[in-house]
Amino acid sequence: GSNVQITAPVTASAEVSASAFVDGSRIFKTAPNGAFQVNGDIVKFGGGSVSQGRIYYYAGGSWEIADHASEADATGFLGLALGSSVTEDGMLIRGFINLAGDSGTDGTPLYLGASNGTTQDAAPTGTGNYVRIVGYVLDDAHGAGSLLWFDPDKSWVELA
């Protein structure tokens, strides 16, 4: 492969893709203010019916609703729906997002919730539940809602 080195700011008005290795830092100078605005890694592959703001896991080419009640729903590759279309709006797999409402106390972890792709600010406690951190609250009163860092942990714990 070849290396690409960028020495000046680059702007684009459409999606940009690259097939070469890019070496450098990603700097987010501003936090997203409007509801469902993001700065982060977004994928636009797979199918399934999704709802904006909900968390899904990727299974066999389709995005399925996630929750902490079963192994399949809690332990896979997670993404947060940015709209109602996976291929048009995309799935946030890591980054900053501003979600409507109060998500909890600043600096605290968010856990995969009990149902319907939600988060909760306390770890689940029920036998057979899966504890998985999906991000952190950065500012619970930011712009149109709560500023979150969405970055699902790659590990989890099943409660016995």
Side-chain angles (χ1 to χ4, degrees):
S2 61
N3 289 335
V4 175
Q5 183 176 21
I6 299 172
T7 58
V10 175
T11 59
S13 60
E15 288 187 4
V16 176
S17 64
S19 59
F21 176 77
V22 177
D23 186 10
S25 298
R26 292 182 351 156
I27 300 171
F28 300 110
K29 293 185 178 184
T30 60
N33 256 340
F36 294 101
Q37 287 184 345
V38 298
N39 284 335
D41 298 328
I42 299 168
V43 299
K44 293 184 174 183
F45 59 77
S49 178
V50 298
S51 295
Q52 187 179 55
R54 301 294 183 176
I55 299 171
Y56 296 82
Y57 67 95
Y58 188 70
S62 182
W63 292 93
E64 305 293 332
I65 197 76
D67 63 56
H68 70 226
S70 74
E71 182 176 4
D73 295 357
T75 63
F77 179 66
L78 298 180
L80 190 148
L82 299 177
S84 60
S85 170
V86 173
T87 56
E88 293 293 321
D89 304 309
M91 304 294 286
L92 178 67
I93 59 171
R94 182 182 64 186
F96 297 98
I97 185 165
N98 197 12
L99 290 181
D102 181 357
S103 294
T105 305
D106 295 359
T108 59
L110 288 173
Y111 299 88
L112 187 57
S115 63
N116 298 322
T118 59
T119 62
Q120 59 189 53
D121 58 2
T125 58
T127 300
N129 287 332
Y130 289 79
V131 179
R132 185 168 181 189
I133 294 175
V134 294
Y136 295 88
V137 178
L138 300 180
D139 186 349
D140 71 339
H142 181 81
S146 293
L147 179 63
L148 310 178
W149 172 249
F150 182 77
D151 187 14
D153 199 318
K154 303 340 172 233
S155 60
W156 57 86
V157 174
E158 181 183 7
L159 301 175

